[in-house]
Amino acid sequence: MHFLQKERATLEKFLPTLDNRLQEKSFLDLEDKGSPALQIFRELGGPGLLIPREYGGSGVTPLELAHIQRAVASRSPSLALAANMHHCTVIAFLDSLADESVGEFVRAIAENNLYLASGFSEGNRSASILAPTLTSQRVDGGLLVNGSKKPCSLSASMDFLTASVIVPSRSGDGQELALAIIAADSPGIERKPFWNTWVLRGAESEEVILKDVFVPEEFIFYLGKPEDLGSIMARAFVWFELFVSASYLGAASALVERVIAERRGTPTERALVAIEVEGAMASLEAVAHAIMLGWSSDSEIAQALFVRYSVQRSIERVVETSAELLGGLAFISSGEVAYLLAASRALAFHPPSRLSMASYLDDYLAGGLLVMP
């Protein structure tokens, strides 16, 4: 089958046998709590995909990772989403590899296949999505970090939690954003059940609570002004939008693949759902190319958001049509169709939501500055 051929060829190039090993498992087992998918991904070197070759990683490009995320999600949406949080955490370090301590840490991730969980900001009606939700206090030799991250993907499998915090600027001029690297077994870290839905349980998205967790100064990395859209955190945000959209498109593609393989509907109907997902993927590839060419303004951030919401709408249409073409018996006899129908629609729940950004994008299109609520 030619459908998803490009994406799966890229996956096989960088993580040989992963696709086959995932197919050997029950789809719903891969999506459940205690899924073996994250361990398989770790064994095959998945945590090092974005890390440059000179630091022990695979050195994949944003375009290649978008292909990989779509291919992985077509077999296990939970694995793709958990891996996405790791990848987007790694991104925050890529501009600072010249710093010897950062370089050593990144090399350790690749060589030991370590997972990084994200303690970055999350959607909140009362704060910017770029604003950290964890708090920190200066103490002798480092920081004490407090707060809660929920949901926190990779909560069980993480080796380190990477938390964004606001600290007084070292220059004495206001505040700056910093990353605190916290070992998963540090005193003061608790995990509590949080994810109560049956969808995407394999991503380990539970609550992680930090109570006076000490972070030594050597594990704190400074990133610049938090309000700067050109900051490292903002770049990681654009990459996140690309990869998370590719992941959910992969889940939707799994339904389209079933329609094509089982020859459901008419040739016209099959072609139309394929056209929809392939067009969405092409738009994501355009964002990946823009990232690879370099970006320096909020225009690329706006482009990433426009594409993300376009992909989101495409997914909504495609999964409804594909489920209808597969038919009621397929829906009733196998939980996989219902699962993919629900899981692929969860892109709408990732911040910033389409509704929350509509007025800001409208102002931007009329000539205003891009504002992130």
Short mmCIF file of all heavy atoms in Angstrom, two decimals, residues 219-276:
data_model
loop_
_atom_site.label_atom_id
_atom_site.label_comp_id
_atom_site.label_asym_id
_atom_site.label_seq_id
_atom_site.Cartn_x
_atom_site.Cartn_y
_atom_site.Cartn_z
N PHE A 219 22.11 22.45 37.43
CA PHE A 219 21.01 21.87 36.66
C PHE A 219 19.95 22.91 36.33
O PHE A 219 18.79 22.59 36.09
CB PHE A 219 20.39 20.70 37.42
CG PHE A 219 21.24 19.47 37.43
CD1 PHE A 219 22.10 19.21 38.49
CD2 PHE A 219 21.23 18.59 36.36
CE1 PHE A 219 22.90 18.09 38.50
CE2 PHE A 219 22.03 17.46 36.36
CZ PHE A 219 22.88 17.22 37.43
N ILE A 220 20.37 24.18 36.30
CA ILE A 220 19.49 25.28 35.93
C ILE A 220 20.07 25.96 34.69
O ILE A 220 21.24 26.35 34.69
CB ILE A 220 19.34 26.30 37.07
CG1 ILE A 220 18.81 25.61 38.34
CG2 ILE A 220 18.41 27.44 36.66
CD1 ILE A 220 18.89 26.48 39.58
N PHE A 221 19.26 26.09 33.64
CA PHE A 221 19.71 26.69 32.39
C PHE A 221 18.84 27.90 32.07
O PHE A 221 17.62 27.82 32.09
CB PHE A 221 19.66 25.67 31.25
CG PHE A 221 20.45 24.43 31.53
CD1 PHE A 221 19.83 23.27 31.97
CD2 PHE A 221 21.83 24.42 31.40
CE1 PHE A 221 20.56 22.13 32.25
CE2 PHE A 221 22.57 23.29 31.67
CZ PHE A 221 21.94 22.14 32.10
N TYR A 222 19.47 29.04 31.78
CA TYR A 222 18.77 30.30 31.60
C TYR A 222 18.50 30.56 30.12
O TYR A 222 19.38 30.39 29.27
CB TYR A 222 19.59 31.43 32.22
CG TYR A 222 19.80 31.24 33.71
CD1 TYR A 222 20.93 30.59 34.19
CD2 TYR A 222 18.84 31.66 34.62
CE1 TYR A 222 21.10 30.37 35.55
CE2 TYR A 222 19.00 31.45 35.97
CZ TYR A 222 20.14 30.81 36.44
OH TYR A 222 20.31 30.60 37.78
N LEU A 223 17.25 30.99 29.82
CA LEU A 223 16.79 31.07 28.44
C LEU A 223 16.44 32.46 27.96
O LEU A 223 16.16 32.65 26.78
CB LEU A 223 15.56 30.16 28.26
CG LEU A 223 15.74 28.69 28.63
CD1 LEU A 223 14.43 27.95 28.44
CD2 LEU A 223 16.82 28.06 27.78
N GLY A 224 16.40 33.46 28.82
CA GLY A 224 16.07 34.80 28.38
C GLY A 224 14.70 35.26 28.85
O GLY A 224 14.06 34.64 29.68
N LYS A 225 14.25 36.39 28.30
CA LYS A 225 13.00 37.01 28.72
C LYS A 225 11.79 36.13 28.38
O LYS A 225 11.65 35.68 27.25
CB LYS A 225 12.83 38.37 28.06
CG LYS A 225 13.90 39.37 28.44
CD LYS A 225 13.77 39.81 29.88
CE LYS A 225 14.79 40.91 30.21
NZ LYS A 225 14.69 41.33 31.62
N PRO A 226 10.90 35.88 29.35
CA PRO A 226 9.76 35.00 29.10
C PRO A 226 8.75 35.54 28.11
O PRO A 226 8.03 34.78 27.47
CB PRO A 226 9.14 34.84 30.49
CG PRO A 226 9.59 36.01 31.27
CD PRO A 226 10.96 36.34 30.75
N GLU A 227 8.68 36.88 27.96
CA GLU A 227 7.66 37.45 27.08
C GLU A 227 8.13 37.55 25.63
O GLU A 227 7.36 37.94 24.74
CB GLU A 227 7.28 38.86 27.57
CG GLU A 227 8.38 39.90 27.44
CD GLU A 227 9.31 39.92 28.66
OE1 GLU A 227 9.22 39.00 29.48
OE2 GLU A 227 10.13 40.87 28.76
N ASP A 228 9.35 37.16 25.35
CA ASP A 228 9.91 37.29 24.01
C ASP A 228 9.46 36.13 23.13
O ASP A 228 9.83 34.98 23.36
CB ASP A 228 11.45 37.32 24.11
CG ASP A 228 12.10 37.48 22.75
OD1 ASP A 228 11.38 37.76 21.78
OD2 ASP A 228 13.33 37.33 22.68
N LEU A 229 8.68 36.40 22.09
CA LEU A 229 8.21 35.35 21.20
C LEU A 229 9.35 34.73 20.40
O LEU A 229 9.19 33.67 19.81
CB LEU A 229 7.14 35.87 20.25
CG LEU A 229 5.72 35.95 20.80
CD1 LEU A 229 4.78 36.46 19.73
CD2 LEU A 229 5.25 34.61 21.31
N GLY A 230 10.49 35.38 20.36
CA GLY A 230 11.63 34.81 19.66
C GLY A 230 12.51 33.98 20.58
O GLY A 230 13.58 33.54 20.18
N SER A 231 12.06 33.71 21.78
CA SER A 231 12.86 32.96 22.74
C SER A 231 12.88 31.48 22.39
O SER A 231 12.13 31.00 21.54
CB SER A 231 12.28 33.13 24.15
OG SER A 231 11.05 32.46 24.24
N ILE A 232 13.73 30.75 23.09
CA ILE A 232 13.83 29.30 22.88
C ILE A 232 12.50 28.63 23.19
O ILE A 232 12.07 27.71 22.48
CB ILE A 232 14.95 28.72 23.76
CG1 ILE A 232 16.30 29.28 23.32
CG2 ILE A 232 14.97 27.21 23.70
CD1 ILE A 232 17.45 28.93 24.23
N MET A 233 11.81 29.09 24.23
CA MET A 233 10.53 28.48 24.58
C MET A 233 9.50 28.69 23.47
O MET A 233 8.70 27.80 23.18
CB MET A 233 10.02 29.08 25.89
CG MET A 233 10.82 28.65 27.10
SD MET A 233 10.71 26.88 27.40
CE MET A 233 9.01 26.73 27.90
N ALA A 234 9.52 29.86 22.84
CA ALA A 234 8.58 30.11 21.75
C ALA A 234 8.90 29.23 20.56
O ALA A 234 8.00 28.73 19.88
CB ALA A 234 8.62 31.59 21.36
N ARG A 235 10.19 29.01 20.29
CA ARG A 235 10.54 28.11 19.20
C ARG A 235 10.05 26.69 19.51
O ARG A 235 9.51 26.01 18.64
CB ARG A 235 12.06 28.09 18.97
CG ARG A 235 12.42 27.30 17.72
CD ARG A 235 13.90 27.21 17.50
NE ARG A 235 14.52 26.19 18.33
CZ ARG A 235 15.64 25.55 17.99
NH1 ARG A 235 16.25 25.84 16.87
NH2 ARG A 235 16.15 24.64 18.79
N ALA A 236 10.24 26.26 20.74
CA ALA A 236 9.76 24.94 21.12
C ALA A 236 8.25 24.85 20.95
O ALA A 236 7.72 23.80 20.58
CB ALA A 236 10.15 24.64 22.57
N PHE A 237 7.55 25.97 21.18
CA PHE A 237 6.10 25.99 21.00
C PHE A 237 5.73 25.72 19.54
O PHE A 237 4.81 24.94 19.26
CB PHE A 237 5.56 27.35 21.46
CG PHE A 237 4.14 27.62 21.05
CD1 PHE A 237 3.09 27.02 21.72
CD2 PHE A 237 3.86 28.46 19.99
CE1 PHE A 237 1.78 27.25 21.34
CE2 PHE A 237 2.55 28.70 19.61
CZ PHE A 237 1.51 28.10 20.28
N VAL A 238 6.44 26.35 18.60
CA VAL A 238 6.15 26.14 17.18
C VAL A 238 6.40 24.69 16.79
O VAL A 238 5.60 24.06 16.10
CB VAL A 238 6.99 27.08 16.30
CG1 VAL A 238 6.82 26.75 14.82
CG2 VAL A 238 6.61 28.53 16.55
N TRP A 239 7.51 24.13 17.27
CA TRP A 239 7.82 22.74 16.98
C TRP A 239 6.74 21.83 17.58
O TRP A 239 6.35 20.84 16.97
CB TRP A 239 9.19 22.37 17.53
CG TRP A 239 10.35 22.98 16.81
CD1 TRP A 239 10.47 24.27 16.38
CD2 TRP A 239 11.58 22.33 16.44
NE1 TRP A 239 11.69 24.46 15.78
CE2 TRP A 239 12.39 23.29 15.82
CE3 TRP A 239 12.07 21.04 16.63
CZ2 TRP A 239 13.67 22.99 15.35
CZ3 TRP A 239 13.35 20.75 16.16
CH2 TRP A 239 14.13 21.71 15.51
N PHE A 240 6.29 22.17 18.78
CA PHE A 240 5.23 21.38 19.41
C PHE A 240 3.98 21.36 18.54
O PHE A 240 3.38 20.31 18.33
CB PHE A 240 4.89 21.93 20.79
CG PHE A 240 3.68 21.29 21.42
CD1 PHE A 240 3.79 20.07 22.06
CD2 PHE A 240 2.44 21.90 21.34
CE1 PHE A 240 2.67 19.46 22.62
CE2 PHE A 240 1.31 21.30 21.89
CZ PHE A 240 1.43 20.08 22.53
N GLU A 241 3.57 22.53 18.05
CA GLU A 241 2.37 22.59 17.21
C GLU A 241 2.52 21.71 15.97
O GLU A 241 1.57 21.04 15.55
CB GLU A 241 2.08 24.04 16.80
CG GLU A 241 1.65 24.95 17.94
CD GLU A 241 0.35 24.50 18.58
OE1 GLU A 241 -0.58 24.12 17.85
OE2 GLU A 241 0.26 24.53 19.82
N LEU A 242 3.72 21.71 15.39
CA LEU A 242 3.97 20.87 14.22
C LEU A 242 3.86 19.39 14.56
O LEU A 242 3.13 18.63 13.90
CB LEU A 242 5.37 21.17 13.66
CG LEU A 242 5.92 20.19 12.62
CD1 LEU A 242 5.05 20.18 11.36
CD2 LEU A 242 7.37 20.55 12.28
N PHE A 243 4.57 18.97 15.59
CA PHE A 243 4.65 17.54 15.89
C PHE A 243 3.37 16.99 16.50
O PHE A 243 2.99 15.85 16.24
CB PHE A 243 5.85 17.25 16.81
CG PHE A 243 7.17 17.66 16.22
CD1 PHE A 243 8.15 18.25 17.01
CD2 PHE A 243 7.43 17.49 14.87
CE1 PHE A 243 9.36 18.63 16.46
CE2 PHE A 243 8.64 17.88 14.31
CZ PHE A 243 9.61 18.45 15.11
N VAL A 244 2.69 17.79 17.32
CA VAL A 244 1.44 17.29 17.91
C VAL A 244 0.36 17.18 16.83
O VAL A 244 -0.45 16.25 16.83
CB VAL A 244 0.98 18.18 19.09
CG1 VAL A 244 0.32 19.47 18.62
CG2 VAL A 244 0.02 17.41 19.99
N SER A 245 0.37 18.11 15.88
CA SER A 245 -0.59 18.02 14.77
C SER A 245 -0.31 16.80 13.91
O SER A 245 -1.24 16.09 13.49
CB SER A 245 -0.52 19.29 13.91
OG SER A 245 -0.87 20.44 14.66
N ALA A 246 0.97 16.53 13.64
CA ALA A 246 1.33 15.34 12.86
C ALA A 246 0.92 14.07 13.60
O ALA A 246 0.51 13.08 12.97
CB ALA A 246 2.84 15.34 12.58
N SER A 247 1.02 14.09 14.91
CA SER A 247 0.66 12.91 15.71
C SER A 247 -0.84 12.62 15.60
O SER A 247 -1.25 11.48 15.34
CB SER A 247 1.04 13.13 17.17
OG SER A 247 2.45 13.31 17.31
N TYR A 248 -1.66 13.64 15.79
CA TYR A 248 -3.11 13.41 15.70
C TYR A 248 -3.53 13.11 14.27
O TYR A 248 -4.47 12.34 14.04
CB TYR A 248 -3.87 14.60 16.26
CG TYR A 248 -3.88 14.63 17.77
CD1 TYR A 248 -3.09 15.53 18.49
CD2 TYR A 248 -4.65 13.72 18.49
CE1 TYR A 248 -3.09 15.53 19.87
CE2 TYR A 248 -4.66 13.72 19.87
CZ TYR A 248 -3.87 14.62 20.56
OH TYR A 248 -3.86 14.61 21.94
N LEU A 249 -2.82 13.68 13.30
CA LEU A 249 -3.11 13.34 11.91
C LEU A 249 -2.79 11.87 11.66
O LEU A 249 -3.48 11.20 10.88
CB LEU A 249 -2.30 14.23 10.96
CG LEU A 249 -2.64 14.08 9.48
CD1 LEU A 249 -4.08 14.51 9.20
CD2 LEU A 249 -1.66 14.89 8.62
N GLY A 250 -1.76 11.35 12.34
CA GLY A 250 -1.44 9.93 12.23
C GLY A 250 -2.55 9.05 12.77
O GLY A 250 -2.86 8.01 12.19
N ALA A 251 -3.15 9.47 13.88
CA ALA A 251 -4.27 8.69 14.44
C ALA A 251 -5.45 8.70 13.46
O ALA A 251 -6.09 7.67 13.24
CB ALA A 251 -4.70 9.27 15.78
N ALA A 252 -5.73 9.85 12.87
CA ALA A 252 -6.80 9.93 11.87
C ALA A 252 -6.45 9.10 10.65
O ALA A 252 -7.32 8.44 10.05
CB ALA A 252 -7.04 11.39 11.47
N SER A 253 -5.17 9.09 10.29
CA SER A 253 -4.72 8.33 9.12
C SER A 253 -4.92 6.83 9.32
O SER A 253 -5.10 6.09 8.35
CB SER A 253 -3.25 8.63 8.84
OG SER A 253 -3.05 10.00 8.52
N ALA A 254 -4.87 6.38 10.57
CA ALA A 254 -5.10 4.96 10.84
C ALA A 254 -6.52 4.55 10.45
O ALA A 254 -6.75 3.42 9.98
CB ALA A 254 -4.86 4.66 12.32
N LEU A 255 -7.48 5.46 10.62
CA LEU A 255 -8.84 5.18 10.19
C LEU A 255 -8.93 5.19 8.66
O LEU A 255 -9.58 4.32 8.05
CB LEU A 255 -9.81 6.21 10.77
CG LEU A 255 -10.34 5.96 12.18
CD1 LEU A 255 -11.23 7.11 12.62
CD2 LEU A 255 -11.09 4.64 12.28
N VAL A 256 -8.27 6.18 8.04
CA VAL A 256 -8.28 6.26 6.58
C VAL A 256 -7.64 5.00 5.99
O VAL A 256 -8.13 4.44 4.99
CB VAL A 256 -7.54 7.51 6.09
CG1 VAL A 256 -7.44 7.53 4.57
CG2 VAL A 256 -8.25 8.77 6.58
N GLU A 257 -6.57 4.53 6.61
CA GLU A 257 -5.90 3.33 6.13
C GLU A 257 -6.84 2.12 6.15
O GLU A 257 -6.83 1.29 5.23
CB GLU A 257 -4.66 3.04 6.98
CG GLU A 257 -3.83 1.87 6.48
CD GLU A 257 -2.54 1.71 7.25
OE1 GLU A 257 -2.53 1.98 8.48
OE2 GLU A 257 -1.53 1.31 6.64
N ARG A 258 -7.65 2.02 7.17
CA ARG A 258 -8.62 0.92 7.24
C ARG A 258 -9.65 1.02 6.12
O ARG A 258 -10.05 0.01 5.53
CB ARG A 258 -9.30 0.92 8.62
CG ARG A 258 -8.42 0.40 9.75
CD ARG A 258 -8.96 0.81 11.11
NE ARG A 258 -8.33 0.11 12.22
CZ ARG A 258 -7.11 0.38 12.68
NH1 ARG A 258 -6.39 1.35 12.11
NH2 ARG A 258 -6.61 -0.31 13.69
N VAL A 259 -10.08 2.24 5.83
CA VAL A 259 -11.03 2.45 4.75
C VAL A 259 -10.43 1.99 3.41
O VAL A 259 -11.09 1.29 2.62
CB VAL A 259 -11.45 3.93 4.66
CG1 VAL A 259 -12.24 4.20 3.38
CG2 VAL A 259 -12.26 4.34 5.88
N ILE A 260 -9.18 2.36 3.18
CA ILE A 260 -8.53 1.99 1.91
C ILE A 260 -8.27 0.49 1.85
O ILE A 260 -8.56 -0.16 0.83
CB ILE A 260 -7.20 2.77 1.77
CG1 ILE A 260 -7.48 4.28 1.65
CG2 ILE A 260 -6.42 2.27 0.55
CD1 ILE A 260 -6.24 5.14 1.73
N ALA A 261 -7.75 -0.08 2.92
CA ALA A 261 -7.40 -1.51 2.92
C ALA A 261 -8.63 -2.39 2.76
O ALA A 261 -8.58 -3.43 2.09
CB ALA A 261 -6.66 -1.87 4.20
N GLU A 262 -9.74 -1.98 3.36
CA GLU A 262 -10.97 -2.78 3.32
C GLU A 262 -11.87 -2.39 2.15
O GLU A 262 -12.96 -2.96 2.01
CB GLU A 262 -11.71 -2.65 4.65
CG GLU A 262 -10.91 -3.18 5.83
CD GLU A 262 -11.60 -2.93 7.17
OE1 GLU A 262 -12.82 -2.68 7.17
OE2 GLU A 262 -10.90 -2.98 8.21
N ARG A 263 -11.40 -1.41 1.33
CA ARG A 263 -12.13 -0.97 0.15
C ARG A 263 -13.56 -0.54 0.49
O ARG A 263 -14.53 -0.88 -0.20
CB ARG A 263 -12.16 -2.06 -0.94
CG ARG A 263 -10.83 -2.71 -1.24
CD ARG A 263 -9.71 -1.72 -1.51
NE ARG A 263 -9.88 -1.07 -2.83
CZ ARG A 263 -9.24 0.04 -3.18
NH1 ARG A 263 -8.43 0.64 -2.31
NH2 ARG A 263 -9.39 0.54 -4.38
N ARG A 264 -13.67 0.22 1.56
CA ARG A 264 -14.99 0.69 1.99
C ARG A 264 -15.41 1.91 1.16
O ARG A 264 -14.59 2.76 0.80
CB ARG A 264 -14.95 1.07 3.47
CG ARG A 264 -14.65 -0.10 4.38
CD ARG A 264 -15.84 -1.03 4.48
NE ARG A 264 -15.59 -2.13 5.41
CZ ARG A 264 -16.54 -2.89 5.91
NH1 ARG A 264 -17.80 -2.68 5.59
NH2 ARG A 264 -16.24 -3.88 6.73
N GLY A 265 -16.69 2.03 0.93
CA GLY A 265 -17.19 3.16 0.17
C GLY A 265 -16.86 3.04 -1.30
O GLY A 265 -16.44 2.00 -1.80
N THR A 266 -17.04 4.15 -2.00
CA THR A 266 -16.74 4.21 -3.43
C THR A 266 -15.32 4.71 -3.65
O THR A 266 -14.71 5.28 -2.74
CB THR A 266 -17.72 5.16 -4.13
OG1 THR A 266 -17.46 6.50 -3.67
CG2 THR A 266 -19.17 4.79 -3.83
N PRO A 267 -14.76 4.53 -4.86
CA PRO A 267 -13.44 5.10 -5.14
C PRO A 267 -13.38 6.60 -4.87
O PRO A 267 -12.38 7.10 -4.35
CB PRO A 267 -13.24 4.78 -6.63
CG PRO A 267 -14.04 3.54 -6.86
CD PRO A 267 -15.25 3.70 -5.99
N THR A 268 -14.45 7.29 -5.20
CA THR A 268 -14.49 8.74 -4.95
C THR A 268 -14.41 9.05 -3.47
O THR A 268 -13.67 9.94 -3.03
CB THR A 268 -15.77 9.35 -5.54
OG1 THR A 268 -15.76 9.16 -6.96
CG2 THR A 268 -15.85 10.85 -5.24
N GLU A 269 -15.18 8.31 -2.67
CA GLU A 269 -15.17 8.55 -1.22
C GLU A 269 -13.81 8.23 -0.61
O GLU A 269 -13.31 8.97 0.25
CB GLU A 269 -16.27 7.71 -0.55
CG GLU A 269 -17.68 8.21 -0.86
CD GLU A 269 -18.75 7.25 -0.41
OE1 GLU A 269 -18.53 6.01 -0.50
OE2 GLU A 269 -19.82 7.72 0.05
N ARG A 270 -13.21 7.14 -1.04
CA ARG A 270 -11.88 6.79 -0.52
C ARG A 270 -10.84 7.84 -0.91
O ARG A 270 -9.99 8.23 -0.10
CB ARG A 270 -11.47 5.41 -1.02
CG ARG A 270 -12.29 4.28 -0.44
CD ARG A 270 -11.66 2.92 -0.71
NE ARG A 270 -11.63 2.59 -2.14
CZ ARG A 270 -12.61 1.97 -2.79
NH1 ARG A 270 -13.72 1.63 -2.14
NH2 ARG A 270 -12.49 1.68 -4.08
N ALA A 271 -10.91 8.27 -2.15
CA ALA A 271 -9.95 9.29 -2.61
C ALA A 271 -10.13 10.60 -1.83
O ALA A 271 -9.13 11.26 -1.49
CB ALA A 271 -10.12 9.53 -4.11
N LEU A 272 -11.37 10.97 -1.54
CA LEU A 272 -11.61 12.24 -0.85
C LEU A 272 -11.04 12.26 0.56
O LEU A 272 -10.46 13.27 0.98
CB LEU A 272 -13.12 12.54 -0.83
CG LEU A 272 -13.72 13.00 -2.16
CD1 LEU A 272 -15.23 13.17 -2.03
CD2 LEU A 272 -13.07 14.28 -2.63
N VAL A 273 -11.18 11.17 1.32
CA VAL A 273 -10.62 11.18 2.67
C VAL A 273 -9.09 11.17 2.61
O VAL A 273 -8.41 11.80 3.43
CB VAL A 273 -11.15 10.01 3.53
CG1 VAL A 273 -12.62 10.20 3.85
CG2 VAL A 273 -10.89 8.66 2.89
N ALA A 274 -8.53 10.48 1.61
CA ALA A 274 -7.08 10.47 1.45
C ALA A 274 -6.57 11.85 1.05
O ALA A 274 -5.54 12.33 1.55
CB ALA A 274 -6.66 9.43 0.41
N ILE A 275 -7.29 12.51 0.13
CA ILE A 275 -6.93 13.87 -0.28
C ILE A 275 -6.89 14.80 0.92
O ILE A 275 -5.99 15.63 1.08
CB ILE A 275 -7.92 14.39 -1.35
CG1 ILE A 275 -7.68 13.67 -2.67
CG2 ILE A 275 -7.79 15.90 -1.52
CD1 ILE A 275 -8.79 13.88 -3.69
N GLU A 276 -7.87 14.65 1.79
CA GLU A 276 -7.96 15.52 2.97
C GLU A 276 -6.75 15.36 3.88
O GLU A 276 -6.11 16.34 4.29
CB GLU A 276 -9.23 15.21 3.74
CG GLU A 276 -9.53 16.17 4.88
CD GLU A 276 -10.44 17.31 4.47
OE1 GLU A 276 -11.54 17.05 3.97
OE2 GLU A 276 -10.04 18.47 4.68
#
